[in-house]
């Protein structure tokens, strides 16, 4: 089932409703990864993982260490949209990958926050 996301001014076609977002923390230089699902009404965070810990990078409640990653299921309600910071301070942007392994780098240049929302969502 193909689906899509609006990422700033781009529309990204995805192989399925599931996708991952990963990025490097600007201060700690530690990788963070989240697994999301597009639902009929928004975006649901299914899992979060962090490759270490540090200031602002503490693993969530119930985290378990799995292959060097602290992994947990956050208690977060479904989100209509996400706003991703585009500081330019990390040396890269956000990496968004679908279930088929197709990846896009978004928000690499410093600027306004990048809006991420299911296609058809209104501002």
């Amino acid at each position: 089932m193909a689906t899509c996301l609006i990422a700033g001014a781009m529309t990204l076609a995805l192989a399925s409703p599931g996708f991952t977002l990963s990025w490097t923390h600007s201060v700690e230089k530690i990788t963070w990864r989240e697994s999301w699902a597009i639902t009929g009404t928004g975006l649901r965070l299914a899992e979060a993982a962090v490759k270490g810990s540090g200031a602002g990078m503490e693993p969530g409640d119930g985290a378990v260490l799995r292959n060097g990653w602290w992994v947990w299921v956050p208690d977060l309600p479904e989100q209509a949209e996400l706003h991703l910071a585009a500081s330019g301070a990390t040396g890269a942007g956000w990496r968004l990958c679908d279930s088929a392994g197709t990846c896009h780098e978004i928000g690499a240049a410093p600027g306004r926050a990048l809006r991420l929302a299911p296609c058809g969502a209104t501002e």
Side-chain angles (χ1 to χ4, degrees):
M1 173 177 130
T3 190
C4 70
L5 280 173
I6 296 171
M10 298 182 300
T11 300
L12 304 176
L14 304 178
S16 72
F19 64 94
T20 60
L21 277 176
S22 59
W23 66 95
T24 301
H25 189 276
S26 61
V27 175
E28 296 292 339
K29 306 300 184 208
I30 294 172
T31 305
W32 189 284
R33 180 182 67 213
E34 294 177 344
S35 297
W36 289 85
I38 301 170
T39 68
T41 55
L43 301 168
R44 181 181 51 82
L45 180 57
E47 183 179 88
V50 63
K51 189 79 173 177
S53 62
M57 300 292 292
E58 294 79 18
D61 290 340
V64 296
L65 188 59
R66 192 179 306 148
N67 297 321
W69 290 84
W70 286 103
V71 180
W72 70 100
V73 177
D75 182 19
L76 181 72
E78 188 171 289
Q79 304 293 299
E81 60 189 25
L82 303 176
H83 292 267
L84 309 177
S87 69
T90 63
W94 301 74
R95 185 170 174 85
L96 188 150
C97 300
D98 68 13
S99 62
T102 302
C103 297
H104 307 272
E105 186 175 347
I106 57 176
R112 291 183 14 201
L114 183 74
R115 178 177 174 258
L116 189 64
C119 291
T122 59
E123 284 194 61

